Amino acid sequence: MKSSCGARFAFLVLSLFAAQSVGVYAGSFHRDVQIHWGDGRGKIHDNGGRLLSLSLDKTSGSGFQSKQEFLYGKAEVQMKLVPGNSAGTVTTFYLKSPGVTWDEIDFEFLGNISGHPYTLHTNVYTRGSGDKEQQFHLWFDPTADFHTYCITWNPQRIIFTVDGIPIREFKNSESIGVPFPKSQPMRLYASLWEAEHWATRGGLEKTDWSKAPFTAFYRNYNVEGCVWANGKSSCPANAPWFTQKLDRRGANRVKWAQSKYMVYNYCTDKKRFPKGVPAVCT
Ligand SMILES: *[C@@H]1O[C@H](CO)[C@@H](O)[C@H](O)[C@H]1NC(C)=O
């Protein structure tokens, strides 16, 4: 079954009747990714390739990347973040193209001291330029259990969802001169790294290395898209994510997430954009 990020329920119902389709639906870390960084700190835990962990110690972090490149797609995974004092750690799940004028679509989870909330940082880069940050706190403890994070990237928009709830939509606004990622194929990446200075508001909190190694878990990797090979992309027929947009309910959910949980929005940062916020915001 080709699922969209919000279609977990339908998937569940279907899978009760067709348990075998689960194997088709879910990706395998063994088959689909390469642990390209971290010298053994990234590990796949089961034969089916459903569970992977990344760890970070004082010497190095770790990360994996998809074997395939995609031009548009839907990237979904479940993550359970570093518990306890995770200040200074950053756990990521993102799409990125190579080169100096790269495109990138980010989910980054900034750790915090014990009992304080993680910050979910989202951003979109086009031709090497980002500056489109929106940050959220979450309505649950992302370290207590696995939660589903998904990026939908199609020619009209990028949608970020958390447990099927859209929290951000970045629309294609090329018609008003805002670049949109549409020609550079991207790989999916995930990593756990140390960014004490960036992730703790200028190093306000220190990473507590006595708690290392820090570990984050990834489960049920599911990435499908227009696969890029030999200079062209081939899209699966009738994939729902390719034309996905937010219906009224989806738009209301974005409003809900943004009004209750957004802690930073570049679109309202007048200090940073004294001459007026970027055109895409208005
Ligand atoms: C850590 O928690 C405090 C609230 O206690 C919050 O203001 C801050 O943004 C959090 N830092 C990060 C990096 O999430």
Side-chain angles (χ1 to χ4, degrees), residues 115-143:
H116 290 256
Y118 262 81
T119 294
L120 167 53
H121 174 96
T122 64
N123 203 355
V124 175
Y125 283 74
T126 38
R127 300 184 201 148
S129 138
D131 296 333
K132 301 180 216 40
E133 303 87 351
Q134 289 185 347
Q135 297 184 333
F136 301 83
H137 286 159
L138 294 161
W139 49 93
F140 51 82
D141 174 0
T143 72

mmCIF file of all heavy atoms in Angstrom, residues 115-143:
data_model
loop_
_atom_site.group_PDB
_atom_site.id
_atom_site.type_symbol
_atom_site.label_atom_id
_atom_site.label_comp_id
_atom_site.label_asym_id
_atom_site.label_seq_id
_atom_site.Cartn_x
_atom_site.Cartn_y
_atom_site.Cartn_z
ATOM 1 N N GLY A 115 14.179 17.164 31.955
ATOM 2 C CA GLY A 115 12.928 17.785 32.365
ATOM 3 C C GLY A 115 12.545 19.001 31.541
ATOM 4 O O GLY A 115 11.481 19.575 31.738
ATOM 5 N N HIS A 116 13.413 19.417 30.616
ATOM 6 C CA HIS A 116 13.099 20.568 29.767
ATOM 7 C C HIS A 116 12.852 20.089 28.344
ATOM 8 O O HIS A 116 13.423 19.091 27.923
ATOM 9 C CB HIS A 116 14.233 21.597 29.834
ATOM 10 C CG HIS A 116 14.304 22.272 31.168
ATOM 11 N ND1 HIS A 116 13.858 23.547 31.390
ATOM 12 C CD2 HIS A 116 14.722 21.793 32.358
ATOM 13 C CE1 HIS A 116 14.020 23.850 32.671
ATOM 14 N NE2 HIS A 116 14.549 22.812 33.277
ATOM 15 N N PRO A 117 12.009 20.802 27.627
ATOM 16 C CA PRO A 117 11.553 20.256 26.337
ATOM 17 C C PRO A 117 12.593 20.322 25.223
ATOM 18 O O PRO A 117 13.372 21.271 25.126
ATOM 19 C CB PRO A 117 10.365 21.164 25.993
ATOM 20 C CG PRO A 117 10.652 22.449 26.689
ATOM 21 C CD PRO A 117 11.372 22.084 27.961
ATOM 22 N N TYR A 118 12.563 19.319 24.393
ATOM 23 C CA TYR A 118 13.289 19.359 23.122
ATOM 24 C C TYR A 118 12.717 20.476 22.258
ATOM 25 O O TYR A 118 11.533 20.827 22.368
ATOM 26 C CB TYR A 118 13.051 18.050 22.371
ATOM 27 C CG TYR A 118 14.129 17.008 22.514
ATOM 28 C CD1 TYR A 118 14.179 16.191 23.639
ATOM 29 C CD2 TYR A 118 15.066 16.816 21.514
ATOM 30 C CE1 TYR A 118 15.149 15.199 23.762
ATOM 31 C CE2 TYR A 118 16.037 15.830 21.620
ATOM 32 C CZ TYR A 118 16.079 15.031 22.749
ATOM 33 O OH TYR A 118 17.034 14.056 22.853
ATOM 34 N N THR A 119 13.536 20.984 21.357
ATOM 35 C CA THR A 119 13.027 21.880 20.319
ATOM 36 C C THR A 119 13.112 21.157 18.980
ATOM 37 O O THR A 119 14.167 20.626 18.621
ATOM 38 C CB THR A 119 13.864 23.177 20.262
ATOM 39 O OG1 THR A 119 13.652 23.897 21.484
ATOM 40 C CG2 THR A 119 13.437 24.050 19.086
ATOM 41 N N LEU A 120 11.990 21.122 18.267
ATOM 42 C CA LEU A 120 11.988 20.584 16.912
ATOM 43 C C LEU A 120 12.195 21.744 15.943
ATOM 44 O O LEU A 120 11.378 22.665 15.862
ATOM 45 C CB LEU A 120 10.660 19.872 16.627
ATOM 46 C CG LEU A 120 10.383 19.523 15.159
ATOM 47 C CD1 LEU A 120 11.525 18.746 14.526
ATOM 48 C CD2 LEU A 120 9.098 18.719 15.051
ATOM 49 N N HIS A 121 13.328 21.693 15.260
ATOM 50 C CA HIS A 121 13.741 22.756 14.348
ATOM 51 C C HIS A 121 13.442 22.293 12.929
ATOM 52 O O HIS A 121 13.832 21.193 12.539
ATOM 53 C CB HIS A 121 15.243 22.957 14.561
ATOM 54 C CG HIS A 121 15.916 23.900 13.632
ATOM 55 N ND1 HIS A 121 16.139 25.219 13.947
ATOM 56 C CD2 HIS A 121 16.452 23.707 12.405
ATOM 57 C CE1 HIS A 121 16.778 25.809 12.933
ATOM 58 N NE2 HIS A 121 16.978 24.914 11.991
ATOM 59 N N THR A 122 12.728 23.109 12.147
ATOM 60 C CA THR A 122 12.494 22.780 10.736
ATOM 61 C C THR A 122 13.068 23.898 9.867
ATOM 62 O O THR A 122 13.099 25.065 10.271
ATOM 63 C CB THR A 122 10.990 22.634 10.412
ATOM 64 O OG1 THR A 122 10.335 23.902 10.609
ATOM 65 C CG2 THR A 122 10.322 21.591 11.292
ATOM 66 N N ASN A 123 13.532 23.501 8.681
ATOM 67 C CA ASN A 123 14.081 24.521 7.779
ATOM 68 C C ASN A 123 14.024 24.000 6.346
ATOM 69 O O ASN A 123 13.922 22.782 6.120
ATOM 70 C CB ASN A 123 15.532 24.856 8.167
ATOM 71 C CG ASN A 123 15.978 26.236 7.697
ATOM 72 O OD1 ASN A 123 15.252 26.943 6.998
ATOM 73 N ND2 ASN A 123 17.188 26.624 8.080
ATOM 74 N N VAL A 124 14.045 24.905 5.402
ATOM 75 C CA VAL A 124 14.100 24.545 3.986
ATOM 76 C C VAL A 124 15.220 25.367 3.359
ATOM 77 O O VAL A 124 15.260 26.587 3.526
ATOM 78 C CB VAL A 124 12.765 24.861 3.271
ATOM 79 C CG1 VAL A 124 12.869 24.596 1.776
ATOM 80 C CG2 VAL A 124 11.617 24.053 3.873
ATOM 81 N N TYR A 125 16.143 24.696 2.684
ATOM 82 C CA TYR A 125 17.212 25.380 1.948
ATOM 83 C C TYR A 125 16.929 25.275 0.456
ATOM 84 O O TYR A 125 16.555 24.203 -0.030
ATOM 85 C CB TYR A 125 18.561 24.702 2.185
ATOM 86 C CG TYR A 125 19.215 25.004 3.506
ATOM 87 C CD1 TYR A 125 18.737 24.442 4.686
ATOM 88 C CD2 TYR A 125 20.338 25.831 3.568
ATOM 89 C CE1 TYR A 125 19.350 24.700 5.892
ATOM 90 C CE2 TYR A 125 20.955 26.097 4.787
ATOM 91 C CZ TYR A 125 20.461 25.529 5.941
ATOM 92 O OH TYR A 125 21.078 25.792 7.134
ATOM 93 N N THR A 126 17.130 26.385 -0.238
ATOM 94 C CA THR A 126 17.112 26.317 -1.686
ATOM 95 C C THR A 126 18.385 26.987 -2.196
ATOM 96 O O THR A 126 18.720 28.087 -1.757
ATOM 97 C CB THR A 126 15.886 27.036 -2.275
ATOM 98 O OG1 THR A 126 15.627 28.199 -1.510
ATOM 99 C CG2 THR A 126 14.654 26.152 -2.231
ATOM 100 N N ARG A 127 19.072 26.297 -3.077
ATOM 101 C CA ARG A 127 20.349 26.773 -3.642
ATOM 102 C C ARG A 127 21.304 27.250 -2.556
ATOM 103 O O ARG A 127 21.886 28.332 -2.650
ATOM 104 C CB ARG A 127 20.103 27.911 -4.626
ATOM 105 C CG ARG A 127 19.213 27.478 -5.778
ATOM 106 C CD ARG A 127 19.081 28.608 -6.760
ATOM 107 N NE ARG A 127 17.907 28.456 -7.592
ATOM 108 C CZ ARG A 127 17.212 29.491 -8.058
ATOM 109 N NH1 ARG A 127 17.566 30.722 -7.766
ATOM 110 N NH2 ARG A 127 16.168 29.269 -8.810
ATOM 111 N N GLY A 128 21.398 26.488 -1.476
ATOM 112 C CA GLY A 128 22.372 26.775 -0.429
ATOM 113 C C GLY A 128 21.933 27.810 0.568
ATOM 114 O O GLY A 128 22.692 28.157 1.477
ATOM 115 N N SER A 129 20.721 28.322 0.407
ATOM 116 C CA SER A 129 20.313 29.339 1.361
ATOM 117 C C SER A 129 19.073 28.903 2.142
ATOM 118 O O SER A 129 18.058 28.504 1.579
ATOM 119 C CB SER A 129 20.131 30.658 0.594
ATOM 120 O OG SER A 129 19.001 31.333 0.997
ATOM 121 N N GLY A 130 19.224 28.961 3.471
ATOM 122 C CA GLY A 130 18.174 28.481 4.373
ATOM 123 C C GLY A 130 17.328 29.643 4.861
ATOM 124 O O GLY A 130 16.510 30.191 4.129
ATOM 125 N N ASP A 131 17.541 30.031 6.120
ATOM 126 C CA ASP A 131 16.845 31.200 6.674
ATOM 127 C C ASP A 131 15.325 31.089 6.612
ATOM 128 O O ASP A 131 14.631 32.073 6.379
ATOM 129 C CB ASP A 131 17.276 32.489 5.938
ATOM 130 C CG ASP A 131 18.751 32.775 6.151
ATOM 131 O OD1 ASP A 131 19.299 32.356 7.189
ATOM 132 O OD2 ASP A 131 19.368 33.409 5.277
ATOM 133 N N LYS A 132 14.817 29.879 6.773
ATOM 134 C CA LYS A 132 13.359 29.711 6.814
ATOM 135 C C LYS A 132 12.986 28.830 8.006
ATOM 136 O O LYS A 132 12.197 27.898 7.904
ATOM 137 C CB LYS A 132 12.868 29.075 5.510
ATOM 138 C CG LYS A 132 13.212 29.872 4.247
ATOM 139 C CD LYS A 132 12.687 29.148 3.044
ATOM 140 C CE LYS A 132 13.505 29.205 1.788
ATOM 141 N NZ LYS A 132 14.939 29.115 1.875
ATOM 142 N N GLU A 133 13.534 29.177 9.155
ATOM 143 C CA GLU A 133 13.365 28.311 10.315
ATOM 144 C C GLU A 133 12.017 28.485 10.992
ATOM 145 O O GLU A 133 11.542 29.599 11.175
ATOM 146 C CB GLU A 133 14.450 28.616 11.384
ATOM 147 C CG GLU A 133 15.875 28.486 10.911
ATOM 148 C CD GLU A 133 16.417 29.759 10.276
ATOM 149 O OE1 GLU A 133 15.633 30.710 10.034
ATOM 150 O OE2 GLU A 133 17.637 29.807 10.037
ATOM 151 N N GLN A 134 11.441 27.369 11.349
ATOM 152 C CA GLN A 134 10.328 27.376 12.296
ATOM 153 C C GLN A 134 10.643 26.314 13.336
ATOM 154 O O GLN A 134 11.062 25.208 12.995
ATOM 155 C CB GLN A 134 8.992 27.066 11.609
ATOM 156 C CG GLN A 134 8.513 28.213 10.729
ATOM 157 C CD GLN A 134 7.126 27.973 10.142
ATOM 158 O OE1 GLN A 134 6.597 26.872 10.186
ATOM 159 N NE2 GLN A 134 6.546 29.017 9.580
ATOM 160 N N GLN A 135 10.452 26.680 14.611
ATOM 161 C CA GLN A 135 10.766 25.749 15.693
ATOM 162 C C GLN A 135 9.534 25.506 16.557
ATOM 163 O O GLN A 135 8.718 26.409 16.762
ATOM 164 C CB GLN A 135 11.891 26.307 16.568
ATOM 165 C CG GLN A 135 13.198 26.479 15.813
ATOM 166 C CD GLN A 135 14.328 26.938 16.719
ATOM 167 O OE1 GLN A 135 14.089 27.591 17.741
ATOM 168 N NE2 GLN A 135 15.545 26.595 16.355
ATOM 169 N N PHE A 136 9.465 24.295 17.076
ATOM 170 C CA PHE A 136 8.310 23.874 17.858
ATOM 171 C C PHE A 136 8.754 23.163 19.124
ATOM 172 O O PHE A 136 9.803 22.522 19.144
ATOM 173 C CB PHE A 136 7.467 22.866 17.057
ATOM 174 C CG PHE A 136 6.958 23.405 15.748
ATOM 175 C CD1 PHE A 136 7.771 23.405 14.609
ATOM 176 C CD2 PHE A 136 5.675 23.918 15.642
ATOM 177 C CE1 PHE A 136 7.311 23.905 13.398
ATOM 178 C CE2 PHE A 136 5.204 24.415 14.436
ATOM 179 C CZ PHE A 136 6.017 24.418 13.315
ATOM 180 N N HIS A 137 7.944 23.247 20.157
ATOM 181 C CA HIS A 137 8.009 22.252 21.210
ATOM 182 C C HIS A 137 6.973 21.191 20.858
ATOM 183 O O HIS A 137 6.080 21.423 20.041
ATOM 184 C CB HIS A 137 7.745 22.880 22.579
ATOM 185 C CG HIS A 137 8.926 23.688 23.065
ATOM 186 N ND1 HIS A 137 8.832 24.663 24.016
ATOM 187 C CD2 HIS A 137 10.230 23.660 22.705
ATOM 188 C CE1 HIS A 137 10.035 25.202 24.224
ATOM 189 N NE2 HIS A 137 10.891 24.610 23.435
ATOM 190 N N LEU A 138 7.090 20.015 21.443
ATOM 191 C CA LEU A 138 6.178 18.938 21.075
ATOM 192 C C LEU A 138 5.123 18.761 22.160
ATOM 193 O O LEU A 138 5.311 19.188 23.292
ATOM 194 C CB LEU A 138 6.983 17.651 20.858
ATOM 195 C CG LEU A 138 7.917 17.765 19.645
ATOM 196 C CD1 LEU A 138 9.034 16.727 19.694
ATOM 197 C CD2 LEU A 138 7.131 17.629 18.352
ATOM 198 N N TRP A 139 4.006 18.133 21.793
ATOM 199 C CA TRP A 139 2.902 17.935 22.746
ATOM 200 C C TRP A 139 3.029 16.600 23.456
ATOM 201 O O TRP A 139 2.083 16.110 24.055
ATOM 202 C CB TRP A 139 1.551 18.075 22.042
ATOM 203 C CG TRP A 139 1.439 17.271 20.786
ATOM 204 C CD1 TRP A 139 0.936 16.012 20.671
ATOM 205 C CD2 TRP A 139 1.842 17.669 19.467
ATOM 206 N NE1 TRP A 139 1.017 15.603 19.362
ATOM 207 C CE2 TRP A 139 1.561 16.605 18.599
ATOM 208 C CE3 TRP A 139 2.433 18.837 18.935
ATOM 209 C CZ2 TRP A 139 1.834 16.650 17.230
ATOM 210 C CZ3 TRP A 139 2.708 18.878 17.582
ATOM 211 C CH2 TRP A 139 2.405 17.792 16.751
ATOM 212 N N PHE A 140 4.240 15.993 23.350
ATOM 213 C CA PHE A 140 4.504 14.715 24.029
ATOM 214 C C PHE A 140 6.000 14.682 24.326
ATOM 215 O O PHE A 140 6.752 15.531 23.843
ATOM 216 C CB PHE A 140 4.101 13.547 23.114
ATOM 217 C CG PHE A 140 4.708 13.657 21.731
ATOM 218 C CD1 PHE A 140 6.008 13.246 21.474
ATOM 219 C CD2 PHE A 140 3.978 14.209 20.671
ATOM 220 C CE1 PHE A 140 6.583 13.362 20.212
ATOM 221 C CE2 PHE A 140 4.545 14.331 19.403
ATOM 222 C CZ PHE A 140 5.844 13.906 19.179
ATOM 223 N N ASP A 141 6.400 13.691 25.121
ATOM 224 C CA ASP A 141 7.822 13.523 25.418
ATOM 225 C C ASP A 141 8.436 12.631 24.332
ATOM 226 O O ASP A 141 8.144 11.431 24.286
ATOM 227 C CB ASP A 141 7.969 12.884 26.801
ATOM 228 C CG ASP A 141 9.410 12.548 27.127
ATOM 229 O OD1 ASP A 141 10.310 12.810 26.281
ATOM 230 O OD2 ASP A 141 9.654 12.004 28.217
ATOM 231 N N PRO A 142 9.249 13.207 23.450
ATOM 232 C CA PRO A 142 9.763 12.430 22.302
ATOM 233 C C PRO A 142 10.812 11.399 22.693
ATOM 234 O O PRO A 142 11.306 10.668 21.828
ATOM 235 C CB PRO A 142 10.376 13.516 21.400
ATOM 236 C CG PRO A 142 10.779 14.599 22.345
ATOM 237 C CD PRO A 142 9.756 14.583 23.461
ATOM 238 N N THR A 143 11.148 11.339 23.977
ATOM 239 C CA THR A 143 12.143 10.360 24.431
ATOM 240 C C THR A 143 11.481 9.140 25.066
ATOM 241 O O THR A 143 12.127 8.137 25.298
ATOM 242 C CB THR A 143 13.106 10.970 25.478
ATOM 243 O OG1 THR A 143 12.405 11.164 26.720
ATOM 244 C CG2 THR A 143 13.657 12.303 24.996
#
